[in-house]
Amino acid sequence: MLRKIRYILAAAVLAGVILVCGGAAEKLKHYLAEETAGHISAGKNKEVTVVIDAGHGGLDCGKIGVNGAEEKKINLEIAKLIKKFLEEDGVKVIMTRETDERLADHQVDDLEKRVEIMNKSGAALAVSIHQNSYTDASVSGAQVFYHSKSEQGERAAGAIQAGLNELNPQHSKKIKANDTYYILKNTEIPVVIVESGFLSNYEEAEKLMEAEYQEAVAAVVAEGIKEFVF
Ligand SMILES: [Zn+2]
């Protein structure tokens, strides 16, 4: 009699184990199916965020061109066009500014705020738009900067520089590592600075003020960004 009860108990326990295992297996199957589906849809409709930072603004004009061009205005125009091109391809864009205003009264605080936006964004990349200037007025061409310890920053810089060089093959430049620029040093996500041209070069300063050229620059920068993020 006692043995019979033991058998019954053992059978009941075994049945319970099978039931639990069966349920777990079903759950695992379901989980795997969801995981796979998740990966497939992530590949197709991957939501990607990029931060576009138009350098300077408001009282801080940035560099002043030999033709009187204000860097802050050119930066903003190009940044807005990059935003447009990226959004057309489904990229979510966060702008650090969309008007002629800086983010704080002092430059240090302004830069700090820009970095804060980048670090909180969860973005795949941040791109800061600036214009260059040099004592030798004959120097021209666009150049992209990245932090030497950021492999991703270097890759993004390379993709963007390639497009800029195609746009201006006669003044093509190489990407450059920089570990002192505040934004490159303090941003935790991949970040590059695009200096789209020299305002100290008359010809380039004139071109940078033209809407058509701003659009061409923005288009190749956006292409490079997409190559990096997709
Ligand atoms: Zn600048």
Coordinates of all heavy atoms in Angstrom, one line a residue, residues 136-209:
D136 N 46.8 82.3 -43.8 CA 47.1 82.2 -45.2 C 45.8 82.2 -46.0 O 45.1 81.2 -46.0 CB 48.0 81.0 -45.5 CG 48.3 80.8 -46.9 OD1 47.8 81.6 -47.8 OD2 49.1 79.9 -47.2
A137 N 45.5 83.3 -46.7 CA 44.2 83.4 -47.3 C 44.0 82.4 -48.5 O 42.9 82.2 -49.0 CB 44.0 84.8 -47.8
S138 N 45.1 81.8 -48.9 CA 45.0 80.9 -50.1 C 44.5 79.5 -49.7 O 44.0 78.7 -50.5 CB 46.3 80.7 -50.8 OG 47.2 80.0 -50.0
V139 N 44.5 79.2 -48.4 CA 44.0 77.9 -47.9 C 42.5 77.8 -48.0 O 41.8 78.7 -47.5 CB 44.5 77.6 -46.5 CG1 44.0 76.3 -45.9 CG2 46.0 77.6 -46.4
S140 N 42.0 76.7 -48.6 CA 40.6 76.4 -48.6 C 40.3 74.9 -48.6 O 41.2 74.1 -48.6 CB 40.0 77.1 -49.9 OG 40.5 76.4 -51.0
G141 N 39.0 74.6 -48.5 CA 38.6 73.2 -48.4 C 38.0 72.8 -47.1 O 38.3 73.4 -46.1
A142 N 37.2 71.8 -47.1 CA 36.5 71.3 -45.9 C 37.3 70.3 -45.2 O 38.0 69.5 -45.8 CB 35.1 70.7 -46.3
Q143 N 37.2 70.2 -43.9 CA 37.9 69.3 -43.1 C 37.1 68.8 -41.9 O 36.4 69.6 -41.2 CB 39.2 69.8 -42.6 CG 40.2 68.8 -42.0 CD 41.6 69.3 -41.9 OE1 41.8 70.5 -41.7 NE2 42.6 68.4 -42.1
V144 N 37.1 67.5 -41.6 CA 36.4 66.9 -40.5 C 37.3 66.5 -39.4 O 38.3 65.8 -39.7 CB 35.5 65.7 -41.0 CG1 34.6 65.2 -39.9 CG2 34.7 66.1 -42.3
F145 N 36.9 66.8 -38.2 CA 37.7 66.5 -37.0 C 37.0 65.5 -36.1 O 35.8 65.5 -36.0 CB 38.0 67.8 -36.2 CG 38.8 68.8 -36.9 CD1 38.2 69.7 -37.8 CD2 40.2 68.9 -36.7 CE1 39.0 70.6 -38.5 CE2 41.0 69.8 -37.4 CZ 40.4 70.7 -38.3
Y146 N 37.9 64.7 -35.5 CA 37.3 63.6 -34.5 C 38.3 63.5 -33.4 O 39.5 63.9 -33.5 CB 37.2 62.3 -35.3 CG 38.5 61.7 -35.8 CD1 39.1 60.7 -35.1 CD2 39.1 62.2 -37.0 CE1 40.4 60.2 -35.5 CE2 40.3 61.7 -37.4 CZ 40.9 60.7 -36.7 OH 42.1 60.2 -37.1
H147 N 37.9 62.8 -32.3 CA 38.8 62.5 -31.2 C 39.6 61.3 -31.5 O 39.1 60.3 -31.9 CB 38.0 62.4 -29.9 CG 38.8 62.4 -28.7 ND1 39.5 61.3 -28.2 CD2 39.0 63.4 -27.8 CE1 40.2 61.7 -27.2 NE2 39.9 63.0 -26.9
S148 N 40.9 61.4 -31.2 CA 41.8 60.3 -31.6 C 41.5 59.0 -30.9 O 41.8 57.9 -31.5 CB 43.3 60.7 -31.2 OG 43.4 60.7 -29.8
K149 N 40.8 59.0 -29.8 CA 40.5 57.7 -29.1 C 39.1 57.2 -29.6 O 38.7 56.1 -29.0 CB 40.5 57.9 -27.6 CG 41.9 58.2 -27.1 CD 42.1 57.8 -25.7 CE 43.5 57.9 -25.3 NZ 44.1 59.2 -25.4
S150 N 38.4 57.9 -30.5 CA 37.1 57.4 -30.9 C 37.2 56.8 -32.3 O 37.2 57.5 -33.3 CB 36.1 58.6 -30.9 OG 34.9 58.1 -31.5
E151 N 37.1 55.4 -32.3 CA 37.2 54.7 -33.6 C 35.9 55.0 -34.4 O 36.0 55.2 -35.6 CB 37.1 53.2 -33.3 CG 38.5 52.5 -33.5 CD 38.4 51.1 -33.1 OE1 37.6 50.3 -33.7 OE2 39.1 50.7 -32.2
Q152 N 34.8 55.1 -33.7 CA 33.5 55.4 -34.4 C 33.5 56.9 -34.9 O 33.1 57.1 -36.1 CB 32.3 55.3 -33.4 CG 32.2 53.9 -32.9 CD 30.8 53.5 -32.9 OE1 30.1 53.3 -33.9 NE2 30.2 53.5 -31.7
G153 N 34.1 57.8 -34.1 CA 34.2 59.2 -34.6 C 35.1 59.2 -35.9 O 34.8 59.9 -36.8
E154 N 36.1 58.4 -35.9 CA 37.0 58.4 -37.0 C 36.3 57.9 -38.3 O 36.5 58.4 -39.3 CB 38.3 57.6 -36.7 CG 39.3 57.6 -37.8 CD 40.6 56.9 -37.4 OE1 40.7 56.3 -36.3 OE2 41.5 56.8 -38.2
R155 N 35.5 56.8 -38.0 CA 34.8 56.2 -39.2 C 33.8 57.2 -39.7 O 33.7 57.4 -40.9 CB 34.1 54.9 -38.7 CG 33.6 54.1 -39.8 CD 33.3 52.7 -39.3 NE 32.3 52.6 -38.3 CZ 31.0 52.6 -38.6 NH1 30.6 52.8 -39.9 NH2 30.1 52.5 -37.7
A156 N 33.1 57.9 -38.8 CA 32.1 58.9 -39.3 C 32.8 60.0 -40.0 O 32.3 60.5 -41.0 CB 31.3 59.4 -38.1
A157 N 33.9 60.5 -39.4 CA 34.6 61.6 -40.1 C 35.1 61.2 -41.5 O 35.0 62.0 -42.4 CB 35.8 61.9 -39.2
G158 N 35.5 60.0 -41.6 CA 36.0 59.5 -42.9 C 34.9 59.5 -43.9 O 35.1 59.9 -45.1
A159 N 33.7 59.0 -43.5 CA 32.5 58.9 -44.4 C 32.1 60.4 -44.9 O 31.8 60.6 -46.1 CB 31.4 58.2 -43.8
I160 N 32.1 61.3 -44.0 CA 31.7 62.7 -44.3 C 32.8 63.4 -45.1 O 32.5 64.0 -46.1 CB 31.4 63.5 -43.0 CG1 30.2 62.9 -42.3 CG2 31.1 65.0 -43.3 CD1 30.0 63.4 -40.9
Q161 N 34.0 63.2 -44.8 CA 35.1 63.8 -45.5 C 35.2 63.3 -47.0 O 35.4 64.1 -47.9 CB 36.5 63.5 -44.8 CG 37.7 64.2 -45.5 CD 37.8 65.6 -45.1 OE1 37.8 66.0 -43.9 NE2 37.8 66.5 -46.1
A162 N 34.9 62.1 -47.2 CA 34.9 61.5 -48.5 C 33.9 62.3 -49.4 O 34.2 62.6 -50.6 CB 34.5 60.0 -48.5
G163 N 32.7 62.6 -48.9 CA 31.7 63.3 -49.7 C 32.2 64.7 -49.9 O 32.0 65.3 -51.0
L164 N 32.7 65.4 -48.9 CA 33.2 66.7 -49.1 C 34.3 66.8 -50.1 O 34.4 67.8 -50.9 CB 33.6 67.3 -47.7 CG 32.5 67.6 -46.7 CD1 33.0 67.7 -45.3 CD2 31.7 68.8 -47.1
N165 N 35.2 65.8 -50.1 CA 36.3 65.8 -51.1 C 35.8 65.6 -52.5 O 36.3 66.2 -53.4 CB 37.3 64.7 -50.7 CG 38.1 65.1 -49.5 OD1 38.1 66.2 -49.0 ND2 38.9 64.1 -49.0
E166 N 34.7 64.8 -52.6 CA 34.1 64.6 -53.9 C 33.5 65.9 -54.5 O 33.5 66.2 -55.6 CB 33.0 63.6 -53.9 CG 33.5 62.2 -54.3 CD 32.4 61.2 -54.2 OE1 31.3 61.4 -54.7 OE2 32.7 60.1 -53.6
L167 N 32.9 66.7 -53.5 CA 32.3 68.0 -53.9 C 33.4 69.0 -54.3 O 33.2 69.8 -55.2 CB 31.5 68.5 -52.7 CG 30.7 69.8 -52.8 CD1 29.6 69.6 -53.8 CD2 30.2 70.3 -51.5
N168 N 34.5 68.9 -53.7 CA 35.6 69.9 -54.0 C 37.0 69.1 -54.2 O 37.9 69.3 -53.3 CB 35.8 70.8 -52.8 CG 35.1 72.1 -53.0 OD1 35.1 72.6 -54.1 ND2 34.5 72.6 -51.9
P169 N 37.1 68.3 -55.2 CA 38.3 67.5 -55.4 C 39.6 68.3 -55.4 O 40.6 67.8 -55.0 CB 38.0 66.7 -56.7 CG 36.8 67.3 -57.3 CD 36.1 68.2 -56.3
Q170 N 39.5 69.5 -56.0 CA 40.7 70.3 -56.1 C 41.3 70.8 -54.8 O 42.4 71.2 -54.7 CB 40.6 71.4 -57.1 CG 39.6 72.6 -56.6 CD 38.1 72.3 -56.8 OE1 37.7 71.1 -56.8 NE2 37.3 73.3 -56.8
H171 N 40.4 70.8 -53.7 CA 40.9 71.2 -52.4 C 40.6 70.1 -51.3 O 40.2 70.4 -50.2 CB 40.1 72.5 -52.0 CG 40.4 73.6 -52.9 ND1 41.6 74.2 -53.1 CD2 39.5 74.3 -53.7 CE1 41.5 75.1 -54.0 NE2 40.3 75.2 -54.4
S172 N 40.7 68.9 -51.7 CA 40.4 67.8 -50.8 C 41.4 67.7 -49.6 O 42.6 68.1 -49.8 CB 40.3 66.4 -51.5 OG 41.6 66.1 -52.0
K173 N 40.9 67.3 -48.5 CA 41.7 67.3 -47.3 C 41.5 65.9 -46.6 O 40.6 65.1 -47.0 CB 41.2 68.4 -46.3 CG 41.6 69.8 -46.8 CD 41.5 70.8 -45.7 CE 42.3 72.0 -45.8 NZ 42.8 72.4 -47.1
K174 N 42.4 65.7 -45.6 CA 42.3 64.4 -44.8 C 41.6 64.7 -43.5 O 41.8 65.8 -42.9 CB 43.7 63.9 -44.6 CG 44.3 63.3 -45.8 CD 45.5 62.4 -45.4 CE 46.0 61.6 -46.6 NZ 47.1 62.3 -47.3
I175 N 40.9 63.8 -42.9 CA 40.3 63.9 -41.6 C 41.5 64.1 -40.6 O 42.6 63.7 -40.8 CB 39.5 62.7 -41.2 CG1 40.3 61.4 -41.3 CG2 38.2 62.6 -42.0 CD1 39.6 60.2 -40.6
K176 N 41.1 64.8 -39.5 CA 42.2 65.2 -38.5 C 41.7 64.9 -37.1 O 40.6 65.3 -36.7 CB 42.5 66.7 -38.7 CG 43.9 67.0 -38.1 CD 44.3 68.4 -38.5 CE 45.6 68.8 -37.8 NZ 46.0 70.2 -38.1
A177 N 42.6 64.2 -36.3 CA 42.3 63.9 -34.9 C 42.6 65.2 -34.1 O 43.5 65.9 -34.4 CB 43.1 62.8 -34.4
N178 N 41.7 65.5 -33.1 CA 41.9 66.6 -32.2 C 41.4 66.2 -30.8 O 40.3 65.8 -30.7 CB 41.1 67.8 -32.8 CG 41.3 69.0 -31.9 OD1 40.8 69.0 -30.7 ND2 42.0 70.0 -32.4
D179 N 42.3 66.4 -29.9 CA 41.9 66.0 -28.5 C 41.7 67.2 -27.6 O 41.6 67.0 -26.4 CB 42.9 65.0 -27.9 CG 43.0 63.7 -28.7 OD1 42.1 63.5 -29.6 OD2 43.9 62.9 -28.5
T180 N 41.7 68.4 -28.1 CA 41.6 69.5 -27.3 C 40.2 70.3 -27.4 O 39.8 71.0 -26.5 CB 42.7 70.6 -27.5 OG1 42.7 70.9 -28.9 CG2 44.1 70.0 -27.2
Y181 N 39.6 70.1 -28.6 CA 38.3 70.8 -28.7 C 37.3 70.3 -27.7 O 37.2 69.1 -27.5 CB 37.6 70.5 -30.1 CG 38.3 71.2 -31.3 CD1 38.2 70.7 -32.6 CD2 39.1 72.3 -31.1 CE1 38.8 71.3 -33.7 CE2 39.7 73.0 -32.2 CZ 39.6 72.4 -33.5 OH 40.2 73.0 -34.5
Y182 N 36.6 71.3 -27.0 CA 35.7 70.9 -25.9 C 34.7 69.9 -26.2 O 34.5 68.9 -25.5 CB 35.0 72.2 -25.4 CG 34.2 72.0 -24.2 CD1 34.8 72.2 -22.9 CD2 32.9 71.6 -24.2 CE1 34.0 72.0 -21.7 CE2 32.1 71.4 -23.1 CZ 32.7 71.6 -21.8 OH 32.0 71.4 -20.7
I183 N 34.1 70.1 -27.4 CA 33.0 69.1 -27.8 C 33.5 67.7 -28.1 O 33.0 66.7 -27.7 CB 32.2 69.7 -29.0 CG1 31.3 70.8 -28.5 CG2 31.5 68.6 -29.8 CD1 30.4 71.4 -29.5
L184 N 34.7 67.6 -28.7 CA 35.3 66.3 -29.0 C 35.7 65.6 -27.7 O 35.6 64.4 -27.6 CB 36.5 66.5 -29.9 CG 36.2 67.0 -31.3 CD1 37.5 67.0 -32.2 CD2 35.2 66.1 -32.1
K185 N 36.2 66.4 -26.8 CA 36.8 65.9 -25.5 C 35.7 65.5 -24.5 O 35.9 64.5 -23.8 CB 37.6 67.0 -24.8 CG 38.9 66.6 -24.3 CD 39.8 67.7 -23.9 CE 39.2 68.7 -22.9 NZ 40.2 69.8 -22.6
N186 N 34.5 66.1 -24.5 CA 33.5 65.9 -23.5 C 32.3 65.1 -23.9 O 31.4 64.8 -23.1 CB 33.2 67.2 -22.8 CG 34.3 67.8 -22.1 OD1 34.8 67.4 -21.1 ND2 34.9 68.9 -22.7
T187 N 32.1 64.9 -25.2 CA 30.9 64.2 -25.6 C 31.1 62.7 -25.5 O 32.1 62.2 -26.0 CB 30.6 64.6 -27.1 OG1 30.5 66.1 -27.1 CG2 29.3 64.0 -27.5
E188 N 30.1 62.0 -25.0 CA 30.2 60.6 -24.7 C 29.8 59.7 -25.9 O 30.0 58.5 -25.9 CB 29.4 60.2 -23.5 CG 30.1 60.8 -22.2 CD 29.0 61.0 -21.1 OE1 27.9 60.6 -21.2 OE2 29.4 61.7 -20.1
I189 N 29.1 60.3 -26.9 CA 28.6 59.6 -28.0 C 29.6 59.9 -29.2 O 30.3 60.9 -29.0 CB 27.2 59.9 -28.5 CG1 27.0 61.4 -28.7 CG2 26.2 59.4 -27.4 CD1 25.7 61.8 -29.4
P190 N 29.7 59.1 -30.3 CA 30.6 59.5 -31.4 C 30.2 60.9 -31.9 O 29.1 61.3 -32.0 CB 30.3 58.5 -32.4 CG 29.7 57.3 -31.7 CD 29.0 57.9 -30.5
V191 N 31.3 61.7 -32.0 CA 31.1 63.1 -32.4 C 32.1 63.6 -33.4 O 33.3 63.2 -33.3 CB 31.0 64.1 -31.2 CG1 32.3 63.9 -30.4 CG2 30.8 65.5 -31.5
V192 N 31.7 64.4 -34.4 CA 32.7 65.0 -35.3 C 32.4 66.5 -35.5 O 31.3 66.9 -35.3 CB 32.7 64.3 -36.7 CG1 33.1 62.8 -36.6 CG2 31.3 64.4 -37.4
I193 N 33.4 67.2 -35.8 CA 33.3 68.6 -36.2 C 33.5 68.8 -37.6 O 34.6 68.4 -38.1 CB 34.2 69.5 -35.3 CG1 33.9 69.4 -33.8 CG2 34.2 71.0 -35.8 CD1 34.8 70.2 -32.9
V194 N 32.6 69.3 -38.4 CA 32.8 69.6 -39.8 C 33.1 71.1 -40.0 O 32.2 71.9 -39.7 CB 31.5 69.2 -40.6 CG1 31.6 69.6 -42.1 CG2 31.2 67.7 -40.4
E195 N 34.3 71.4 -40.4 CA 34.6 72.7 -40.8 C 34.4 72.8 -42.3 O 35.2 72.3 -43.1 CB 36.1 73.0 -40.5 CG 36.4 72.8 -39.0 CD 36.3 74.1 -38.2 OE1 35.8 75.2 -38.7 OE2 36.8 74.1 -37.0
S196 N 33.3 73.3 -42.8 CA 32.9 73.1 -44.2 C 33.7 74.0 -45.1 O 33.6 73.8 -46.3 CB 31.4 73.2 -44.4 OG 30.7 73.9 -43.4
G197 N 34.4 75.0 -44.6 CA 35.2 75.8 -45.5 C 36.0 76.9 -44.8 O 35.8 77.1 -43.6
F198 N 36.8 77.6 -45.5 CA 37.6 78.7 -44.9 C 37.0 80.1 -45.3 O 37.0 80.5 -46.4 CB 39.0 78.6 -45.4 CG 39.9 77.6 -44.7 CD1 39.7 76.3 -45.1 CD2 40.7 77.9 -43.7 CE1 40.5 75.3 -44.5 CE2 41.4 76.9 -43.0 CZ 41.3 75.6 -43.4
L199 N 36.6 80.8 -44.2 CA 36.0 82.1 -44.4 C 37.2 83.1 -44.7 O 36.9 84.3 -45.0 CB 35.2 82.6 -43.2 CG 33.9 81.8 -43.0 CD1 33.1 82.2 -41.8 CD2 33.0 81.9 -44.3
S200 N 38.4 82.7 -44.5 CA 39.6 83.5 -44.8 C 40.0 83.5 -46.2 O 40.8 84.3 -46.7 CB 40.8 83.1 -43.9 OG 40.9 81.7 -43.9
N201 N 39.3 82.6 -47.0 CA 39.6 82.5 -48.4 C 38.4 83.1 -49.1 O 37.2 82.7 -49.0 CB 39.7 81.0 -48.8 CG 39.9 80.8 -50.3 OD1 38.9 80.8 -51.1 ND2 41.1 80.7 -50.7
Y202 N 38.6 84.2 -49.9 CA 37.5 85.0 -50.5 C 36.6 84.1 -51.3 O 35.4 84.2 -51.1 CB 38.1 86.1 -51.3 CG 37.0 87.1 -51.7 CD1 36.5 88.1 -50.8 CD2 36.4 87.0 -52.9 CE1 35.5 88.9 -51.1 CE2 35.3 87.8 -53.3 CZ 34.9 88.8 -52.4 OH 33.8 89.6 -52.7
E203 N 37.2 83.3 -52.2 CA 36.3 82.5 -53.1 C 35.4 81.6 -52.3 O 34.2 81.4 -52.6 CB 37.3 81.7 -54.0 CG 36.6 81.3 -55.3 CD 37.6 80.4 -56.1 OE1 38.8 80.6 -56.1 OE2 37.1 79.4 -56.6
E204 N 36.0 80.9 -51.3 CA 35.2 79.9 -50.5 C 34.2 80.6 -49.7 O 33.1 80.1 -49.5 CB 36.2 79.0 -49.7 CG 35.5 77.8 -49.2 CD 36.4 76.6 -48.9 OE1 37.3 76.9 -48.0 OE2 36.3 75.6 -49.4
A205 N 34.6 81.8 -49.1 CA 33.7 82.5 -48.2 C 32.4 83.0 -49.1 O 31.3 82.9 -48.6 CB 34.4 83.7 -47.7
E206 N 32.7 83.3 -50.3 CA 31.6 83.7 -51.2 C 30.7 82.5 -51.5 O 29.4 82.6 -51.4 CB 32.1 84.3 -52.5 CG 32.7 85.7 -52.4 CD 31.6 86.8 -52.3 OE1 31.0 87.1 -53.3 OE2 31.4 87.3 -51.1
K207 N 31.3 81.4 -51.8 CA 30.5 80.2 -52.1 C 29.7 79.8 -50.9 O 28.5 79.4 -51.0 CB 31.5 79.0 -52.5 CG 31.8 79.0 -53.9 CD 32.2 77.6 -54.4 CE 33.4 77.0 -53.6 NZ 33.9 75.7 -54.2
L208 N 30.3 79.8 -49.7 CA 29.6 79.4 -48.5 C 28.4 80.2 -48.1 O 27.5 79.8 -47.4 CB 30.6 79.4 -47.3 CG 31.6 78.2 -47.3 CD1 32.7 78.5 -46.3 CD2 30.8 76.9 -46.9
M209 N 28.3 81.4 -48.7 CA 27.1 82.2 -48.5 C 26.0 81.9 -49.5 O 24.8 82.4 -49.3 CB 27.5 83.7 -48.6 CG 28.2 84.2 -47.4 SD 28.7 85.9 -47.5 CE 27.1 86.7 -47.0

